[in-house]
């Protein structure tokens, strides 16, 4: 009987192996399909180079054209091949915390484990129910503005969206590159459309000789004009996001700070919002070189953020920073972010003195200038 059972179980092994093999083939095919949009954009770019340089051949404009072309390719390359940043080790649960989380039933007991694990982490956002944001796939406490990407199957720092046109997640590590890619691709298309317009008009008035170049001139103008329209709207939208210090995901679901939703919780004013993405050194702003401020795990905020265990703040402080002075979190921000807030006009002596008298607050209060 024992041998019979083993013999009966034997044929199932190849079936399981075959299923696993087909699953691996399917995953590889999916990964290849993800590159189709990138190959499409690359082929259009190569053809436009051929059509403009060899067929249109405007010698006076070739220098400016190649500048736009190189900046476009450089920023596009950096957006595609810059790996998204994931949360650091301190946000991952320890082995003992994982075991405790698995033993505890879902609910308040699990939240107690997560609160204990997150007590020294610089996190201030919560779920809609006020719970600690936890990723059960990556087994980590999510930093602020971090989200799990279902395509990459990873938690991405300051995730904006997963872009099929670059086959990559757009987040903290490459958001500046993505913005420059949109800007330079828009300039590239506008430049081609502007310089090709006179020849396009001649095409319709039969002013061009009947050569192979006629097709390239006509289609080049159509392609440049079409992409200019779509890119201008997309670029304008992301410029607005930068000015408000928001991500695409935060537009659809505003961040929640200790049971309170605030769509402008991370906005520090236009100039500081711009510096968070492009950095302090203006000479790097227009180059696809990483210069964003911070580490992607913690961000300055214009709200009062306290731990649930701490005493509640007086009324009126737990609102957005517009037209009010506010206190910074009791937990210190990381050094890479702190210098965003060190302008001499940003500190209030009144707020600092008032904070010293508060019970349960270990740090002196820092007040920020009103948002402009």
């Amino acid at each position: 009987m024992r041998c019979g059972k083993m013999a009966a179980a034997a044929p199932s092994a190849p079936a399981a192996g075959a299923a696993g093999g087909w699953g691996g083939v399917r995953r590889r095919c999916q990964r290849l399909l993800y590159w189709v949009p990138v190959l499409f954009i690359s082929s259009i770019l190569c053809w436009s180079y051929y059509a403009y340089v060899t067929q249109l051949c405007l010698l006076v404009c070739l220098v400016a054209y190649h500048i736009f072309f190189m900046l476009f390719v450089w920023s596009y390359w950096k957006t595609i091949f810059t790996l998204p940043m994931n949360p650091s080790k301190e946000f991952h649960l320890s082995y003992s915390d994982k075991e405790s989380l698995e033993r505890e039933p879902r609910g308040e007991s699990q939240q107690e484990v997560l609160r204990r694990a997150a007590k020294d982490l610089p996190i201030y956002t919560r779920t809609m129910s006020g719970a600690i944001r936890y990723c059960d796939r990556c087994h980590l406490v999510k930093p602020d503005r971090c989200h799990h990407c279902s395509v990459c199957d990873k938690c991405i720092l300051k995730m904006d969206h997963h872009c099929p046109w670059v086959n990559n997640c757009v987040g903290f590590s490459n958001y500046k590159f993505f913005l420059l890619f949109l800007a330079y691709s828009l300039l590239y298309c506008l430049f081609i459309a502007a310089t090709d317009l006179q020849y396009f008009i001649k095409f319709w008035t039969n002013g061009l000789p009947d050569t192979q170049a006629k097709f390239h001139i006509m289609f080049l103008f159509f392609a440049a004009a079409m992409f200019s329209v779509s890119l201008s709207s997309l670029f304008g939208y992301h410029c607005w996001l930068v000015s408000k210090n928001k991500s695409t995901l935060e537009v659809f679901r505003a961040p929640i700070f200790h049971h309170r939703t605030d769509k402008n919780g991370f906005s520090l004013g236009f100039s500081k919002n711009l510096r968070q993405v492009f950095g302090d050194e203006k000479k790097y702003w227009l180059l696809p070189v990483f210069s964003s401020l911070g580490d992607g795990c913690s961000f300055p905020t214009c709200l009062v953020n306290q731990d649930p265990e701490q005493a509640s703040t007086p009324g009126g402080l737990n609102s957005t920073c517009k037209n009010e002075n506010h206190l910074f979190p009791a937990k210190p921000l990381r050094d890479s972010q702190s210098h965003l807030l060190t302008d001499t006009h940003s500190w209030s002596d009144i707020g600092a003195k008032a904070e010293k008298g508060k019970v349960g607050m270990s740090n002196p209060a820092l007040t920020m200038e009103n948002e402009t």
Side-chain angles (χ1 to χ4, degrees):
M1 293 297 292
R2 191 173 179 182
C3 294
K5 289 181 179 180
M6 292 178 64
S12 63
W22 279 113
V25 171
R26 184 176 61 184
R27 285 191 296 271
R28 284 192 290 271
C29 291
Q30 286 178 341
R31 283 196 292 267
L32 289 175
L33 288 175
Y34 290 150
W35 285 101
V36 170
V38 176
L39 293 175
F40 174 75
I41 294 295
S42 301
S43 60
I44 292 292
L45 186 60
C46 292
W47 168 80
S48 67
Y49 184 87
Y50 165 78
Y52 194 94
V53 174
T54 64
Q55 298 296 324
L56 197 58
C57 195
L58 300 175
L59 296 178
V60 178
C61 301
L62 284 181
V63 174
Y65 171 82
H66 279 91
I67 292 175
F68 289 130
F69 179 81
M70 293 304 298
L71 289 171
F72 178 14
V73 173
W74 186 9
S75 57
Y76 189 46
W77 178 274
K78 292 285 286 184
T79 307
I80 294 172
F81 294 104
T82 299
L83 294 177
M85 287 182 63
N86 312 120
S88 56
K89 292 182 179 180
E90 60 184 320
F91 290 90
H92 289 75
L93 294 187
S94 63
Y95 181 77
S96 59
D97 287 335
K98 288 181 184 178
E99 284 191 331
S100 300
L101 201 65
E102 291 173 357
R103 284 197 305 265
E104 298 291 345
R106 290 186 178 274
E108 184 60 30
S109 54
Q110 280 194 342
Q111 277 299 301
E112 185 60 37
V113 175
L114 294 177
R115 277 195 291 267
R116 187 170 62 249
K119 65 179 181 178
D120 295 324
L121 297 177
I123 57 172
Y124 308 104
T125 55
R126 297 292 187 263
T127 65
M128 295 183 67
S129 62
I132 299 290
R133 298 172 66 243
Y134 174 73
C135 180
D136 54 2
R137 294 182 64 87
C138 300
H139 303 292
L140 55 83
V141 175
K142 291 181 181 179
D144 293 343
R145 316 184 81 175
C146 173
H147 298 275
H148 187 90
C149 176
S150 58
V151 179
C152 300
D153 197 25
K154 293 179 181 178
C155 283
I156 308 299
L157 294 181
K158 197 187 175 183
M159 179 178 173
D160 188 87
H161 68 288
H162 186 94
C163 180
W165 299 108
V166 299
N167 191 28
N168 199 3
C169 257
V170 177
F172 176 76
S173 62
N174 62 351
Y175 188 66
K176 177 191 173 184
F177 306 148
F178 179 74
L179 280 174
L180 293 179
F181 156 62
L182 293 179
Y184 290 133
S185 59
L186 177 59
L187 289 175
Y188 178 79
C189 292
L190 290 174
F191 180 81
I192 289 178
T195 54
D196 189 26
L197 178 60
Q198 57 178 323
Y199 299 95
F200 180 76
I201 294 174
K202 288 181 179 180
F203 170 82
W204 290 105
T205 57
N206 296 321
L208 286 179
D210 192 11
T211 62
Q212 182 185 3
K214 291 181 68 173
F215 165 77
H216 292 287
I217 290 173
M218 180 186 69
F219 192 72
L220 188 64
F221 179 82
F222 270 124
M226 179 184 66
F227 280 108
S228 296
V229 172
S230 59
L231 285 169
S232 59
S233 59
L234 186 60
F235 179 63
Y237 171 70
H238 279 278
C239 287
W240 176 79
L241 289 181
V242 171
S243 69
K244 299 297 183 179
N245 202 351
K246 295 181 181 180
S247 66
T248 300
L249 293 177
E250 289 169 352
V251 170
F252 290 100
R253 178 176 292 179
I256 302 172
F257 298 86
H258 296 291
H259 301 281
R260 189 184 187 282
T261 302
D262 196 296
K263 60 182 181 180
N264 296 315
F266 291 108
S267 181
L268 307 174
F270 178 79
S271 61
K272 292 182 179 180
N273 293 343
L274 192 69
R275 285 161 54 194
Q276 274 212 323
V277 176
F278 290 95
D280 289 326
E281 300 188 56
K282 294 182 179 180
K283 61 183 179 181
Y284 295 123
W285 281 14
L286 300 180
L287 296 178
V289 177
F290 184 81
S291 58
S292 301
L293 297 181
D295 55 10
C297 291
S298 61
F299 300 89
T301 173
C302 63
L303 300 177
V304 175
N305 297 311
Q306 290 182 304
D307 287 333
E309 293 80 9
Q310 291 178 326
S312 60
T313 56
L317 288 178
N318 222 16
S319 58
T320 57
C321 60
K322 194 171 184 179
N323 298 325
E324 296 181 19
N325 288 329
H326 296 280
L327 306 177
F328 283 113
K331 295 178 183 176
L333 293 169
R334 296 171 183 246
D335 293 337
S336 56
Q337 292 289 354
S338 296
H339 74 284
L340 271 175
L341 313 172
T342 55
D343 293 346
T344 55
H345 300 291
S346 301
W347 311 107
S348 171
D349 294 333
I350 299 175
K353 292 177 181 178
E355 179 64 10
K356 290 180 180 179
K358 288 189 175 183
V359 179
M361 298 289 283
S362 58
N363 291 348
L366 310 177
T367 59
M368 192 181 71
E369 60 187 356
N370 293 336
E371 183 181 359
T372 57

